[in-house]
Amino acid sequence: MMLLVIWGSTYFLVNKERMSIERQAELSVGEITDTYEARVVRALREIDTTLKLVRFTANSSDHSSVLNVLSEQRLLPPALLFTISIVDSNGMVIETTDPELFGQRLPGLFEAGQNGDFFAVGESAVSQEKQLTFTRPLTPEQERSSGWVIVAIDANYFVSSYEARSLGRQGMLALVGADGIVRVRRSGDAIHSGELMDIGVWKSSTLDAVSAPFMTHWQGVERYTLVRELYDFPLSIVVGLSAQEQLVAARQLARNYWQRAGWTSGLLLIILAMLGRLSWQLQRARQRVMEERILHAQQVEHLAFHDTLTDLPNRAFLSHLITQTLKLSGRHSESFALLFLDLDRFKLINDTLGHDAGDHLLQEAARRLTSSVRESDIVARLGGDEFVILLSKVSRQDQIEPIAKNILSCIREPFMLAGHECHVSVSIGVALYPINGFDEQTLMKSADMAMYQAKQLGKNNIQFYTDELSAEMDVRLTLESGLHRALSAHEFRLFFQSKHDIEVGSTLGMEALLRWQHPTLGLLEPAQFMTLAEDSGLAMPIAQWVLENACRQNMLWQQEGFPASTMAVTISAYQFFDNSFVTIIKEVLAVTGMNPRLLELVITESMLLQNVQRTASIFAEIKKMGIMIVVDDFGTGYSSLSDLHALPVDTLKVSSSLVKRLSGSRRDQQLSSSVIELGKCLGMEVFAKGVASNEQASFISSHSSLHFQGFYSNRPLSPEESSQKEK
């Protein structure tokens, strides 16, 4: 649009300037013609006046003295320009102002056969100079004239007013006879005559030849031309201006205009190109921004639905995929399976080798899981070390087991973590749609239950969900929910089992045994709920309650007058290795006021193998307080005898499994006897637990100073029952 405006405006200005110059040229032609006409007419009238004056004088006086008389009277024009002659009827010059013409014959100077008074224009050549002759008869009244008066003048006289400044080098001033013959014509410095100029045709093709200039093309030159007839004389004047010369300024101006338009267009094109480039760059920038936004949205969406560590679908995306699979499976009556996986020993590796090694383990495990299943199956990470696999189009266990076994085998391959070769297994729980549930929540819960069952059965195995498992999990959920209110509701109970000296028959001390009086499930032993307590973070509060109440009960018995006896409290590994364990013991002893020497802490032999150095450090702090240390299940933990001998242990508690062998074969009795003797050789007091028969008690009696505990002597009793029995 802008280019169209520029070039359209330029075209309009050029045409306007051209029209202005053409109009100016036409006005100039008119002005020059007016001036030229006035000058020629004035000259012709002067010539005609001279002719008439000479004729009048000649007719009224002697011919031989006419010109002299008139010359003396200064009535003739200058002889320098005009030559005046009187010619007789035969054409002989009888009187003249030019002595060289006297007596000569001048034929052809007038129109033969013309009668009456007339004004004739002719041509003559004198000294090779072109002259125009103007003739009138001496006796116009007669049928044949007796002579003629002739005025001759240089033809250049009529074009001497030519000015190159106004007419240019190709302009034209011309005097043309009535016959169309050019009497004289000047263009620039060149003067011509005798040419045929058909002004009649020009005038016929022009509506107003007199007042309006018109364009002619004559002798290769295009001119603005104006023709004027001199009605008193048989002549016409022609004035012309060269169109090429007149339009030089217009062409130069047009060239300037077109050049400026070109430069402006070029500049505009450059600006438009720059704007176009900027627009393109802006468009590209906007496109890049849009692409970045789309990419960012895709990344956000990917991050929202994928795990950042393993790049597997996360819980939200898995929920969406399961929902879609449920719809498709319900529509096409197909089955699928959910596999709930949990890595075994992951926490140990994560805590031992660090989180970087744990992250690497999860990434490698995710890669192995993805490569172990079919392309149509989906592997997702729920969080931590938990994964879920969605197996499509499977309906039977025999279709799932090969895939699950392949997963077990793949995960069992060693992992290289932080320069160490680590072995990890996985526990898998399986739930089938629609057998084990019709919705996502039920299926996930069922698979989770089956996975927990796999954990309970030793890990590194596959378990399928069953209704019996659901009942067990219901009990587990009941226990978990009840644990959180058991302490505040005072549902925990302490039972006490006495320790006896078989020779004297006296009670040496008591062991506190924890029980949970559940409102609906009845009396529960620690094995049924302590694992849940550890998972729920309640193990330490419960253990502190046991320790504090055992000590407080011991002090109550002493206040009731019973002799001071030891109180044994079993300590779990979770409690023993807690950083606050020693501090809690000190606080309990301070609160209850119990003598530390009456407190026995019972620790299983297997705990000694976990971290001997740390165990020795904790034992040292306990012994500083005067507390007795008892190693439980001696003979089954496979502890190093050198480590056991180096630790400040006071009593060894022989495992009940070895006590049971006392009523078996002779070989079993010898094995149990060897273990008991080994304990004595270590210089420690040996104590047998779990004595339940007379035969076992008889065998123990054969070993001097061997104490025992069990149902043979006394079952665990409540504090009240224990007090009554002692009384």
Side-chain angles (χ1 to χ4, degrees):
M1 291 287 293
M2 295 181 69
L3 288 174
L4 183 62
V5 169
I6 290 173
W7 289 97
S9 300
T10 303
Y11 179 78
F12 173 77
L13 290 175
V14 167
N15 280 343
K16 182 178 179 181
E17 292 296 333
R18 181 184 180 89
M19 292 174 62
S20 175
I21 292 176
E22 288 179 347
R23 178 61 179 165
Q24 185 63 38
E26 291 175 355
L27 292 176
S28 298
V29 170
E31 292 175 356
I32 294 172
T33 301
D34 291 341
T35 303
Y36 185 55
E37 179 185 18
R39 179 175 180 180
V40 171
V41 169
R42 186 172 57 253
L44 291 176
R45 286 178 178 174
E46 184 176 353
I47 291 172
D48 190 34
T49 301
T50 301
L51 290 174
K52 289 180 179 180
L53 177 61
V54 172
R55 182 178 63 180
F56 174 77
T57 304
N59 289 332
S60 60
S61 62
D62 187 5
H63 289 184
S64 60
S65 61
V66 170
L67 297 179
N68 291 331
V69 172
L70 293 174
S71 177
E72 289 177 357
Q73 296 177 0
R74 299 180 180 273
L75 296 176
L76 297 179
L80 183 62
L81 296 176
F82 296 89
T83 300
I84 303 171
S85 301
I86 299 175
V87 182
D88 60 14
S89 58
N90 294 322
M92 296 296 294
V93 176
I94 56 177
E95 191 174 355
T96 182
T97 59
D98 184 4
E100 294 181 358
L101 294 178
F102 184 79
Q104 294 186 10
R105 182 179 177 79
L106 299 176
L109 296 179
F110 54 91
E111 295 181 14
Q114 187 173 357
N115 298 322
D117 191 8
F118 60 88
F119 184 85
V121 180
E123 299 177 3
S124 66
V126 179
S127 301
Q128 298 182 350
E129 291 183 1
K130 183 70 173 181
Q131 287 187 336
L132 293 182
T133 60
F134 302 92
T135 305
R136 276 191 178 276
L138 285 175
T139 55
E141 296 82 3
Q142 297 178 4
E143 181 178 349
R144 181 178 177 80
S145 177
S146 59
W148 295 269
V149 178
I150 299 173
V151 175
I153 187 172
D154 190 352
N156 294 343
Y157 174 78
F158 292 97
V159 293
S160 61
S161 62
Y162 188 99
E163 294 182 0
R165 182 179 58 184
S166 57
L167 290 169
R169 299 189 61 81
Q170 293 184 334
M172 180 174 64
L173 287 181
L175 193 64
V176 183
D179 54 0
I181 301 299
V182 175
R183 301 306 181 187
V184 61
R185 178 180 68 85
R186 181 174 178 176
S187 293
D189 295 332
I191 299 176
H192 306 276
S193 63
E195 302 161 326
L196 178 62
M197 184 178 292
D198 198 354
I199 58 175
V201 176
W202 292 354
K203 290 188 290 185
S204 64
S205 62
T206 305
L207 296 177
D208 191 1
V210 175
S211 60
F214 54 90
M215 190 67 67
T216 61
H217 189 84
W218 189 62
Q219 291 187 350
V221 179
E222 193 172 22
R223 296 182 176 90
Y224 296 99
T225 305
L226 189 59
V227 178
R228 294 275 181 87
E229 290 184 0
L230 305 178
Y231 295 102
D232 294 339
F233 309 98
L235 291 172
S236 297
I237 61 171
V238 179
V239 178
L241 294 177
S242 171
Q244 181 178 2
E245 292 179 346
Q246 294 299 314
L247 295 178
V248 167
R251 290 191 183 96
Q252 181 62 39
L253 190 59
R255 191 158 43 246
N256 292 337
Y257 281 151
W258 292 122
Q259 188 176 20
R260 292 173 185 174
W263 282 108
T264 305
S265 300
L267 181 60
L268 178 62
L269 289 175
I270 292 174
I271 295 174
L272 291 176
M274 293 175 64
L275 292 176
R277 180 173 178 80
L278 291 175
S279 176
W280 178 80
Q281 290 176 342
L282 179 60
Q283 184 66 22
R284 288 292 299 169
R286 289 179 178 174
Q287 185 176 355
R288 283 195 297 270
V289 170
M290 291 300 299
E291 291 175 352
E292 289 174 357
R293 288 181 179 176
I294 293 173
L295 180 60
H296 178 70
Q298 293 174 345
Q299 291 174 346
V300 170
E301 182 179 5
H302 184 82
L303 291 175
F305 293 104
H306 287 79
D307 177 53
T308 56
L309 180 63
T310 61
D311 203 36
L312 293 176
N314 59 12
R315 184 186 295 270
F317 195 20
L318 176 65
S319 177
H320 171 73
L321 294 173
I322 293 176
T323 302
Q324 294 297 110
T325 306
L326 284 170
K327 293 179 181 178
L328 293 175
S329 299
R331 183 182 303 169
H332 301 292
S333 300
E334 295 178 346
S335 299
F336 66 91
L338 279 183
L339 277 64
F340 204 107
L341 297 84
D342 188 271
L343 297 179
D344 304 325
R345 300 179 67 246
F346 172 75
K347 186 176 185 305
L348 177 61
I349 292 177
N350 202 41
D351 294 342
T352 305
L353 300 180
H355 293 287
D356 290 340
D359 292 345
H360 181 68
L361 172 60
L362 292 174
Q363 291 173 341
E364 180 63 19
R367 188 189 64 79
R368 293 187 186 185
L369 291 175
T370 304
S371 62
S372 300
V373 298
R374 303 166 299 180
E375 291 186 1
S376 59
D377 300 329
I378 298 170
V379 180
R381 181 190 176 207
L382 293 187
D385 58 343
E386 293 180 339
F387 296 86
V388 172
I389 298 178
L390 193 155
L391 299 179
S392 59
K393 297 182 180 180
V394 291
S395 57
R396 302 188 310 274
Q397 290 188 14
D398 58 351
Q399 294 176 319
I400 301 171
E401 285 178 347
I403 300 175
K405 289 179 179 178
N406 185 32
I407 292 173
L408 292 176
S409 176
C410 182
I411 296 297
R412 277 197 303 268
E413 294 292 328
F415 292 83
M416 290 302 299
L417 303 173
H420 299 276
E421 185 178 280
C422 300
H423 294 270
V424 178
S425 60
V426 64
S427 300
I428 304 176
V430 183
L432 277 169
Y433 169 85
I435 300 173
N436 303 135
F438 294 95
D439 57 78
E440 175 194 350
Q441 185 176 0
T442 304
L443 288 171
M444 290 290 288
K445 178 182 177 182
S446 300
D448 190 14
M449 289 182 183
M451 186 276 296
Y452 182 78
Q453 181 69 11
K455 289 277 189 183
Q456 294 293 98
L457 295 177
K459 306 178 181 180
N460 191 34
N461 65 90
I462 312 159
Q463 292 297 317
F464 289 83
Y465 175 80
T466 60
D467 293 337
E468 293 78 8
L469 181 60
S470 177
E472 293 178 7
M473 294 307 297
D474 288 341
V475 173
R476 175 184 170 88
L477 291 175
T478 302
L479 293 176
E480 285 181 350
S481 61
L483 273 174
H484 290 275
R485 56 176 170 76
L487 274 175
S488 60
H490 306 289
E491 295 176 358
F492 289 114
R493 300 284 186 270
L494 281 183
F495 285 75
F496 299 92
Q497 190 173 32
S498 59
K499 181 174 62 172
H500 295 273
D501 187 333
I502 198 167
E503 293 181 352
V504 181
S506 62
T507 300
L508 301 176
M510 292 288 187
E511 181 176 1
L513 302 176
L514 176 64
R515 298 293 184 266
W516 180 13
Q517 188 64 51
H518 195 277
T520 58
L521 300 177
L523 194 63
L524 304 176
E525 295 186 0
Q528 295 176 283
F529 61 84
M530 280 308 293
T531 303
L532 294 177
E534 291 178 358
D535 295 340
S536 304
L538 297 173
M540 286 304 296
I542 294 174
Q544 185 175 355
W545 181 89
V546 171
L547 183 61
E548 183 176 342
N549 282 273
C551 294
R552 183 172 283 112
Q553 185 61 52
N554 185 280
M555 294 301 295
L556 286 174
W557 282 333
Q558 292 182 45
Q559 293 172 6
E560 291 175 359
F562 293 102
S565 61
T566 62
M567 177 63 70
V569 178
T570 301
I571 303 300
S572 68
Y574 186 88
Q575 184 181 5
F576 182 77
F577 289 109
D578 189 271
N579 294 329
S580 62
F581 175 61
V582 176
T583 304
I584 290 175
I585 294 175
K586 292 179 180 179
E587 292 177 355
V588 169
L589 292 175
V591 170
T592 61
M594 181 177 173
N595 186 353
R597 297 185 183 279
L598 297 178
L599 179 61
E600 292 182 351
L601 299 181
V602 182
I603 301 170
T604 60
E605 184 184 7
S606 60
M607 289 170 54
L608 304 177
L609 301 174
Q610 294 186 18
N611 191 334
V612 177
Q613 185 176 0
R614 186 176 180 188
T615 301
S617 175
I618 297 174
F619 277 4
E621 293 188 44
I622 293 174
K623 293 302 292 182
K624 287 180 182 180
M625 292 184 285
I627 299 173
M628 307 292 288
I629 298 176
V630 179
V631 174
D632 196 7
D633 292 333
F634 176 69
T636 60
Y638 307 102
S639 60
S640 171
L641 293 178
S642 60
D643 292 337
L644 187 61
H645 185 267
L647 293 173
V649 177
D650 298 294
T651 305
L652 296 177
K653 228 176 178 184
V654 178
S655 173
S656 58
S657 63
L658 291 177
V659 173
K660 289 179 182 179
R661 292 177 181 266
L662 296 177
S663 58
S665 63
R666 184 175 180 82
R667 185 176 180 179
D668 290 339
Q669 291 177 355
Q670 289 177 347
L671 175 61
S672 298
S673 179
S674 299
V675 172
I676 294 172
E677 292 298 328
L678 177 61
K680 289 182 176 182
C681 292
L682 292 173
M684 302 176 189
E685 182 181 354
V686 179
F687 178 77
K689 74 172 184 176
V691 178
S693 65
N694 185 37
E695 186 179 1
Q696 293 172 358
S698 298
F699 180 85
I700 292 174
S701 65
S702 64
H703 294 74
S704 59
S705 62
L706 181 63
H707 309 302
F708 75 95
Q709 179 188 40
F711 281 92
Y712 175 76
S713 61
N714 192 11
R715 64 182 178 83
L717 302 174
S718 65
E720 295 79 9
E721 293 173 334
S722 297
S723 298
Q724 290 295 328
K725 185 173 181 180
E726 289 297 325
K727 289 181 180 179

